[in-house]
Amino acid sequence: MNNIQSYSQLFEVLHQISRAPVIYQKSEDALQRIAQIARESLKSRICTIVHLDIDIRLLTQTACDGLDISCAGRQHRWRWKPSADSPTENDYFKRLAQGNVIETGDLESTDHWIINPALVKRYDLGSMLSYPLVDGEQLTGYVNLFRVKGTGFSADDRDMLKHIAEEIATALMALGRVEKATEYERVEQLNRTMEKVTPIHDVQDLLDEMLHCALGLVGAERGWVSQLDMTTGELGITSVTDGARCNLHISIGEGITGKALEEGEPQLAEDVRELPWKKYYVP
């Protein structure tokens, strides 16, 4: 950037990013707005923000903004954990853990898990520019810009993203302080839930109340509780919100719910119609 107008535009962008944690009450809304600001300022097809947890070797997408409604609505989290038996995936994670700027002009012919591979094909993405987000000396994630095939990034783009990434890292620290306060409120809400359900002795009433409280904790509108029938070995829905299916019976390992039971861990699907969830989803 070598003119007054460019620096003026940069300062305005940085100001907007710094204001996001103040304007938005929810961290996911603030991150979504920040991703939108970064994408628009650098005229890209998609911008994502990802969190990188090096200790547990997990990458989690926390925001995604796109050029159209279908893409902009994909802010749900993309999670990726390198497979223990894949040298390619482990090498890629080691590369991410180094915290260097990553740039490529040919996304389709190279392996990248910093974004859902399904998006690369769906939106004809070709170029990527990723800048590390650092809190002090600790790498916390990346801000990533994507453009369609045949459109790369200039030196000015790289310089501008450097400044944007530094401002995003500062905004994330501010959001972290807000999240700590929010987490305290959630713990208090959870304690109130436990007090509410403790006197309930009827199993069905207990499950119904726990489902209702759980939806409130995570801000969801629909859900259900499944129980394992030890006789049939199937999971059946025993408590359900209005509008959800109640006649579904699946085996352990079948469907996303069955996968969660089989692995003993929560499963978070960005889009059940796309890989890797497509092969598990039971419509």
Side-chain angles (χ1 to χ4, degrees):
M1 291 181 291
N2 51 16
N3 59 66
I4 295 177
Q5 184 179 7
S6 296
Y7 279 109
S8 177
Q9 292 173 347
L10 174 61
F11 292 149
E12 176 59 26
V13 168
L14 299 183
H15 175 69
Q16 290 181 33
I17 292 173
S18 69
R19 291 287 296 163
V22 179
I23 296 173
Y24 296 91
Q25 295 182 344
K26 294 183 178 180
S27 60
E28 55 263 35
D29 294 337
L31 286 171
Q32 188 63 22
R33 173 57 180 155
I34 290 171
Q36 180 186 16
I37 294 168
R39 182 191 63 77
E40 291 178 347
S41 64
L42 282 159
K43 299 178 174 59
S44 300
R45 182 70 175 85
I46 292 176
C47 175
T48 68
I49 298 173
V50 299
H51 174 73
L52 190 69
D53 192 319
I54 297 176
D55 293 334
I56 63 173
R57 295 167 57 80
L58 178 67
L59 179 146
T60 304
Q61 179 179 288
T62 55
C64 177
D65 185 76
L67 193 57
D68 51 48
I69 295 176
S70 64
C71 188
R74 304 182 64 83
Q75 68 267 33
H76 300 296
R77 294 183 178 180
W78 156 249
R79 293 162 62 95
W80 174 72
K81 191 177 182 71
S83 174
D85 57 358
S86 172
T88 302
E89 292 189 20
N90 282 279
D91 287 345
Y92 187 78
F93 191 88
K94 289 178 183 177
R95 183 183 177 190
L96 290 178
Q98 291 173 356
N100 297 321
V101 178
I102 302 174
E103 184 175 1
T104 181
D106 190 5
L107 273 173
E108 198 170 50
S109 63
T110 54
D111 292 321
H112 287 277
W113 291 277
I114 204 166
I115 185 175
N116 186 342
L119 294 188
V120 175
K121 293 184 177 181
R122 173 172 290 192
Y123 297 107
D124 201 30
L125 303 179
S127 301
M128 177 186 75
L129 179 61
S130 301
Y131 207 94
L133 302 173
V134 181
D135 181 356
E137 297 183 354
Q138 181 179 2
L139 175 68
T140 59
Y142 285 84
V143 54
N144 315 296
L145 293 173
F146 302 89
R147 289 178 175 170
V148 296
K149 294 177 182 177
T151 308
F153 295 92
S154 67
D156 281 349
D157 292 333
R158 300 182 192 98
D159 188 36
M160 188 169 186
L161 185 59
K162 174 182 181 294
H163 292 291
I164 288 175
E166 291 171 351
E167 191 62 41
I168 291 176
T170 301
L172 288 174
M173 285 188 282
L175 287 171
R177 291 191 291 271
V178 174
E179 285 181 345
K180 285 182 180 179
T182 303
E183 185 62 27
Y184 175 79
E185 293 176 359
R186 287 185 174 180
V187 171
E188 286 297 301
Q189 186 177 353
L190 182 59
N191 288 335
R192 290 193 296 270
T193 297
M194 297 306 297
E195 291 176 358
K196 192 173 182 179
V197 301
T198 299
I200 301 176
H201 299 292
D202 182 82
V203 174
Q204 188 60 54
D205 291 343
L206 176 64
L207 293 175
D208 290 342
E209 185 59 36
M210 289 187 68
L211 174 60
H212 174 74
C213 293
L215 293 176
L217 278 170
V218 301
E221 296 178 356
R222 298 175 59 191
W224 60 81
V225 176
S226 300
Q227 283 189 297
L228 177 64
D229 187 321
M230 301 300 293
T231 303
T232 65
E234 291 185 330
L235 277 166
I237 295 177
T238 55
S239 183
V240 61
T241 56
D242 292 339
R245 291 181 60 184
C246 58
N247 60 343
L248 184 64
H249 295 274
I250 57 176
S251 303
I252 298 176
E254 181 186 7
I256 298 174
T257 303
K259 185 174 186 291
L261 180 60
E262 182 180 49
E263 297 183 1
E265 294 184 356
Q267 306 294 315
L268 183 59
E270 178 189 6
D271 190 333
V272 295
R273 298 163 298 182
E274 294 179 352
L275 293 174
W277 305 105
K278 185 178 180 180
K279 59 182 179 181
Y280 297 107
Y281 178 54
V282 178

